[in-house]
Amino acid sequence: MSQVDGIANLAASRMILKTSLENSRALASALDSTGQRLEGMKQRLPSLEAAVRHVPRKKCTFAAIREHIDRAIGPAAAVLRVYDIIQELQKSLLSHPCSDLSTYLLMVKQLEESLKFLADNCGLAIQWLEAVLEFLEDNEVHDDLYVLNVNKSLSIMEELQATEKHARLGGGILCAAFDKLEVEFRQILVENCFCVVLDSFSSSIRKQASIAPSPLPVAVIQKLQVLIERLDADNRLEKCISTYVEVRCLNTMRSFQALDLNYLNQSLDEFDDVQDVERYVDQWCKHLQLAVKQVFETEYKLCSDVFEKNGPEVWMDCFAKIVTQSGILSFLRFGKKITECKNDPVKLMKLLDVFATLDSLRVDFSRLFGGSACIEIQTMTRDLLKGVVNGACEIFWELPIQVELQRRSSPPSDGSVPRLVSFVTDYCNHLLGDDYRPLLTQILTIQQSWKQEKCQEELVANQIYHIIKQIGLNLDAWSKAHYDLTLSYLFMMNNHCHFCSLKGTNLGGLMGDSWLKAHEKYRDYYMTLYLRESWGKIFALLSQESRVLSFPTWGSVGDLVKKRLKSFNEEFDHMYQKQSNWVVPCEDLRLRMCKLAVQAYVPVYRSHLQNYEFHQAETDASPSRHLKYTAQGLEAMLCSLFQPKLSKSGSSKHNRLIGKIKDIVTDNFRLTLMAA
């Protein structure tokens, strides 16, 4: 058993020796190859030594660059985050702001802030990258790949930095967003434009509040203000103003369409005679009141509300553009045309109406158009006022002269009141009325102040006295122009009666009771003269016949009665025929005069018939040949005289005045005044 174990141990030892031998051979071979490698390394050592000599320097260079790169990494990372936000906002802004204006405005603001943040961070990153590039160049680093990457990063940052600029250019996302806000601004204006209902029959136009309430709801005005603020931040305020003026002007013009203002643009040649434009002047006064009080007042308030945050200079300029383009200058030009028409009495009335309108709007004009933006309106208004004042004064001072010039004309053939007399007294009554006298006094005072003359009191009253004096002189001349004395008496009676009728009027009050009573006496005086010189002489024929027949001889009575009665009939027929076209316009005077004639002369005629028994003439055919008129027939004929001719009368005193004015113009009572 032990022998077997010994053999096994020998065999194991033999294997160990064999393995050791093989390992020794392998080690020898390895040492041999190692020696060869060491020899190669020895040969390469000089070149390696030269290469290793530069390694510390390069390592120091990249260590220095790392600081610049670290500083650029922060802004670059922020750029990436902001760019993602911008992409999301860009998608959101594709919608229209009308769906949710406040949200849209918030997104636009966020986009602006993001673009600015992007540009700022890109700027910082660019600064550090440029510093890296400059450092590499200064240290002569020739790693092309590294330099190429730095340049590429710098180019990307510069492109991203320009994103804000491109966004604001045409086609850019921010520009498109602001374009949509402009569209929304216009849309809100258009949707909230409502024509002003112009009530020309309102009696409260003059009493309306100086400052009207805003025509738009507060919420709408706030929306417009927010839009203006955002657009103004993008330098689009002028575009906002232009859009606002355009939309509001169209709305104003639609409001004016109901008034039919085409007459404002007619040339002076189309209504050279002021009578042709009386209606237009009246309309002008009403329409200007409506335009200022209701339309322009509304626009003034709205401009101040909408552009309040932009300052008074902005909204006043906006308001000036609206009223100028809406037609305020056309109103002023029309008024100027009226001052340039030919002078006549009607023009004075119309100029006073124009002045009254301007005076009633004086405070409104000063408040609405008093700013520097309305210089043109102020200049035209002053020119119009100057033309109205000078034109009215010129006509008023020339009135007595023009009345005197009519003295050469012929008096009415029917003995009635000349139309000039009735016109002048009616005209003076209007000038002395509460509507015109204060205006005329004010105008005369203004002109005196312009001429630096001392203000005279009672200018209007003194001039009216002078006019009436010229009328009296005209009547004296016209009465002498009548070939028939009885017609002259009738003419003077009618005119004195006309003056008596002025009692209780403005003119009558000015002239006084003594003047009115004097005309009453003259009226009665000329009526007495008329009755005596006309019918008195005719009926005197019957009285003369009675005296002759006091001692009748029956052989000659019949012939004498026939002769006297024939003469009476002939004279009566002649006088009646002559006076059948004469007129006594005053009904009371006409009835009184006829009554006096009947009371004075019909009894004489009736007595004559009774004395000579002609009362049987109604049944006896033979006497009836000589009896042409019964007492009742004679009375009826006397009462039928002096009836006024039928004529159409106006519905008001003013209409009658206008009718008389036109009659006077027809009779060449035109003033042909030459401008000084």
Side-chain angles (χ1 to χ4, degrees), residues 89-132:
L89 289 172
Q90 185 173 355
K91 294 178 182 178
S92 300
L93 289 174
L94 294 175
S95 62
H96 198 277
C98 64
S99 57
D100 190 347
L101 179 60
S102 59
T103 301
Y104 194 90
L105 289 171
L106 179 61
M107 288 190 296
V108 171
K109 183 178 180 180
Q110 290 175 347
L111 178 61
E112 284 185 298
E113 293 174 347
S114 299
L115 288 171
K116 186 178 185 303
F117 186 80
L118 176 66
D120 292 343
N121 280 272
C122 284
L124 290 174
I126 288 170
Q127 290 178 10
W128 295 118
L129 288 173
E130 288 177 342
V132 170

Side-chain angles (χ1 to χ4, degrees), residues 204-217:
S204 60
I205 292 178
R206 297 173 181 258
K207 301 178 182 179
Q208 288 182 1
S210 297
I211 301 178
S214 179
L216 296 183

Side-chain angles (χ1 to χ4, degrees), residues 257-352:
Q257 285 179 356
L259 300 180
D260 189 13
L261 300 177
N262 294 330
Y263 67 90
L264 294 177
N265 299 318
Q266 291 182 354
S267 65
L268 185 62
D269 295 337
E270 294 181 64
F271 48 83
D272 185 61
D273 193 333
V274 76
Q275 271 78 35
D276 297 335
V277 288
E278 289 174 50
R279 177 170 56 89
Y280 291 148
V281 173
D282 293 338
Q283 288 181 347
W284 180 88
C285 294
K286 295 177 182 177
H287 292 167
L288 183 60
Q289 290 253 2
L290 292 170
V292 173
K293 294 284 190 180
Q294 297 187 19
V295 179
F296 297 148
E297 179 67 53
T298 298
E299 297 304 325
Y300 180 87
K301 176 60 177 174
L302 191 57
C303 281
S304 66
D305 287 343
V306 173
F307 294 95
E308 179 183 9
K309 297 180 180 180
N310 302 96
E313 184 177 350
V314 172
W315 67 259
M316 279 297 295
D317 181 68
C318 182
F319 170 71
K321 291 177 180 178
I322 292 175
V323 295
T324 299
Q325 296 178 26
S326 297
I328 182 64
L329 299 183
S330 297
F331 277 101
L332 298 176
R333 290 191 192 101
F334 179 85
K336 187 64 175 176
K337 290 175 187 177
I338 298 303
T339 66
E340 296 169 354
C341 288
K342 291 181 180 179
N343 289 338
D344 64 23
V346 182
K347 180 180 176 180
L348 174 56
M349 299 288 236
K350 296 297 118 182
L351 290 179
L352 291 177

